[in-house]
Amino acid sequence: MPNPHIHPFDVHAHHLTRLRACVPACLRVALAMVARGNRTNQDSIASMGGIKPLTEMLQSSRPDGHHNTPLTQANACLAIQHICRHHTENQNAVAEYGVLGQLGTLMRHANNSTGVVEAEAAGALWSLADGNDGNKVSIAGAGSIATLCNLLGSPLERAQKHAASALSSLALGSTPNQEEATRLLVGLLLNASPDAKERVLKSLWRMVSENPEQKAHIAKSGGAENLVALLKDGTQSGKQYALWALSLAVDPTYYPIVAERGGIHPLVQAVGSKETLRMEQAAAAMAKLAAAGDDARALIARAGGIEPLVALLDGEPADGSLLAQQDAAAALAELALLKEAKMAIDRAGGISPLVALLCAPVTLPPDATEEEAELIIGWNSQGKRFAAAALAHLSVDDEAGSAKQQVQHSPPSEPQRMKNGRLVGGAPKLSKAEVIAEAGAIVPLVNLLDGSRGAEAQAEAAGALMALAASASNRQSI
């Protein structure tokens, strides 16, 4: 009866001696199997000198003058994979024999048509990179990241899985590798076959999920030109990735490329879509674009971006999303710095929903976790901050002087009526600061001065009140 306390694959020195003396493929597979998930056997194989013969089998020719067949190379890769899995000492020992570069060469120039050698070489790189920062640097330096990205398009499922796992290991915690892999993978999304594109996307999203603290860097690494091309002409899932990436990556350096490549129109369309996530991401991208300067603001206004942003302020189009409201207000705060956009915000009826956002209470679901509650409160506070900033910018009325003159010289007996924030029926025109005050902005702005919504919201509220105070009647109300 077998001893239940002995692992079925435990090996002893005389077994290893026999294995080293024989080179048939079945014994190389046996080495892989006895090492798989067995730390004791991994140690024994290394201590008995089993690593060096395996590394020699990766080369096209052997020391005895004969040539290694593709099957020999593939099985040697398989054995290395399992001998080095979660074993730092064995990973380093294999690397010292120069194997990391050899494996990359095998993937690129394997002399077989089945893809098996490439698959097993990718599996070995996966194992060698896992948790080993030094090996990650060496593998990337050998040019293997590009090869692994291309291997996602292999017809062999094992090659696809090993390539995806190797890329995951190489990217984990390594900013340079994340950058290179993302740039190459996003490029493949434009040119690969439909099936390969889905595998490429899975690798990208896997990298994002496994490296949450670097997600903004990963997003930016796709490159503005490729991301805009993907947003315009990619598959539906490719467009979703591009929109997510742009929502995080856009900055003043991105703006010229986004504008030149026609990226603003699809962003405007996404803001006006009926999908909450798309609307949130597009609003975030628009807010960042609008911060790039007056040229960007003018293009957004001319592309029709203001109306859907104003519509997002009440939360209804995006199913009550506070994040969409926050980013829409942030975009409008930037856009309101431009006279042309300021007039468009006014025409779109933007003042009332901005004031309503200032007044919006925090509503927490009964089952909200502490983390969820913190997010909701943060979005609410940031929404108020950006609404205050937008109203401050809108309050600066280029025609205020002429409006005040109209007020001073209007006949007191002339009937006055309010309609959509404006005096009509022959009545004098109010300044924008007075219109905003009439909409009820002063009280919530004063309330923000207590700092309970954060220092940023407090500062924006103070700025808005100063802008509103340009009107004598507003000064009295404040």
Side-chain angles (χ1 to χ4, degrees):
M1 178 178 293
N3 188 334
H5 301 291
I6 298 179
H7 192 285
F9 282 142
D10 278 348
V11 294
H12 301 285
H14 69 279
H15 293 138
L16 284 168
T17 301
R18 292 177 61 191
L19 286 170
R20 288 184 61 203
C22 304
V23 294
C26 62
L27 292 180
R28 288 185 292 276
V29 174
L31 271 179
M33 292 302 100
V34 297
R36 184 176 184 178
N38 189 308
R39 179 75 182 205
T40 300
N41 288 351
Q42 289 175 319
D43 291 339
S44 297
I45 292 169
S47 65
M48 293 297 296
I51 290 178
K52 184 178 180 182
L54 288 171
T55 65
E56 293 172 347
M57 294 173 194
L58 299 177
Q59 302 170 9
S60 59
S61 58
R62 303 200 304 258
D64 61 7
H66 292 85
H67 291 280
N68 289 313
T69 66
L71 182 59
T72 297
Q73 294 172 319
N75 287 329
C77 289
L78 178 64
I80 288 171
Q81 176 186 348
H82 291 300
I83 290 169
C84 295
R85 172 73 64 211
H86 306 310
H87 198 300
T88 303
E89 292 80 5
N90 286 358
Q91 290 173 337
N92 292 336
V94 168
E96 288 175 1
Y97 286 109
V99 166
L100 302 180
Q102 291 178 19
L103 290 168
T105 301
L106 270 181
M107 288 193 300
R108 289 188 292 272
H109 306 296
N111 186 23
N112 77 114
S113 59
T114 63
V116 173
V117 175
E118 294 95 324
E120 299 309 331
L125 286 176
W126 167 26
S127 180
L128 288 162
D130 190 19
N132 193 308
D133 291 341
N135 284 356
K136 290 179 185 181
V137 173
S138 298
I139 292 168
S144 294
I145 290 180
T147 310
L148 289 166
C149 289
N150 290 328
L151 200 56
L152 292 172
S154 168
L156 193 66
E157 185 177 359
R158 187 171 175 84
Q160 299 163 11
K161 290 182 176 179
H162 282 177
S165 294
L167 286 169
S168 171
S169 290
L170 287 164
L172 187 64
S174 172
T175 300
N177 289 354
Q178 293 163 10
E179 183 175 341
E180 182 179 1
T182 302
R183 175 177 55 80
L184 293 166
L185 291 171
V186 171
L188 285 173
L189 286 176
L190 297 170
N191 303 307
S193 67
D195 288 343
K197 287 178 181 179
E198 291 307 309
R199 292 190 289 274
V200 167
L201 274 169
K202 286 182 181 178
S203 287
L204 283 166
W205 287 123
R206 180 175 177 179
M207 194 190 316
V208 172
S209 66
E210 291 175 345
N211 300 274
E213 294 182 357
Q214 284 86 38
K215 64 181 181 180
H217 179 79
I218 293 170
K220 192 177 180 66
S221 298
E225 187 171 337
N226 279 345
L227 288 173
V228 172
L230 192 60
L231 182 66
K232 292 173 62 180
D233 303 318
T235 62
Q236 188 60 34
S237 54
K239 290 179 179 180
Q240 290 171 355
Y241 178 85
L243 186 56
W244 167 82
L246 287 168
S247 75
L248 295 174
V250 168
D251 62 17
T253 67
Y254 261 52
Y255 160 68
I257 301 172
V258 173
E260 179 184 344
R261 299 289 176 173
I264 291 179
H265 277 284
L267 286 173
V268 170
Q269 291 174 347
V271 172
S273 71
K274 301 301 181 183
E275 299 174 36
T276 299
L277 183 60
R278 290 188 69 209
M279 298 168 84
E280 290 173 344
Q281 292 170 345
M286 296 275 275
K288 292 179 172 66
L289 275 175
D294 282 349
D295 288 345
R297 296 172 189 129
L299 282 177
I300 292 171
R302 292 166 194 166
I306 287 174
E307 289 79 3
L309 286 169
V310 169
L312 278 183
L313 290 176
D314 66 9
E316 184 176 346
D319 196 25
S321 168
L322 295 177
L323 181 58
Q325 288 178 306
Q326 167 198 287
D327 289 327
L332 290 168
E334 292 291 343
L335 289 164
L337 291 168
L338 184 72
K339 179 179 178 181
E340 170 188 346
K342 187 185 303 186
M343 295 169 63
I345 294 170
D346 188 24
R347 287 194 299 269
I351 291 175
S352 293
L354 284 168
V355 172
L357 192 56
L358 280 180
C359 302
V362 176
T363 304
L364 297 177
D367 57 347
T369 65
E370 184 176 344
E371 182 179 1
E372 290 169 341
E374 186 177 347
L375 281 173
I376 291 170
I377 293 170
W379 290 332
N380 180 275
S381 298
Q382 289 298 300
K384 294 179 185 299
R385 167 199 171 188
F386 292 123
L391 290 170
H393 300 157
L394 289 169
S395 297
V396 181
D397 194 340
D398 297 326
E399 300 177 358
S402 61
K404 288 179 181 178
Q405 289 178 350
Q406 291 178 30
V407 171
Q408 292 169 357
H409 294 92
S410 294
S413 60
E414 192 169 2
Q416 299 182 6
R417 293 185 294 110
M418 291 293 296
K419 183 178 181 181
N420 296 328
R422 298 177 183 275
L423 286 170
V424 296
K429 179 182 178 182
L430 293 178
S431 70
K432 202 60 69 213
E434 292 165 336
V435 171
I436 291 170
E438 288 282 349
I442 290 177
V443 171
L445 285 171
V446 170
N447 290 338
L448 286 177
L449 294 178
D450 66 6
S452 61
R453 295 297 182 182
E456 292 173 325
Q458 183 184 45
E460 296 293 358
L465 287 168
M466 286 189 66
L468 292 176
S471 161
S473 60
N474 288 351
R475 288 195 295 272
Q476 292 178 355
S477 298
I478 294 170

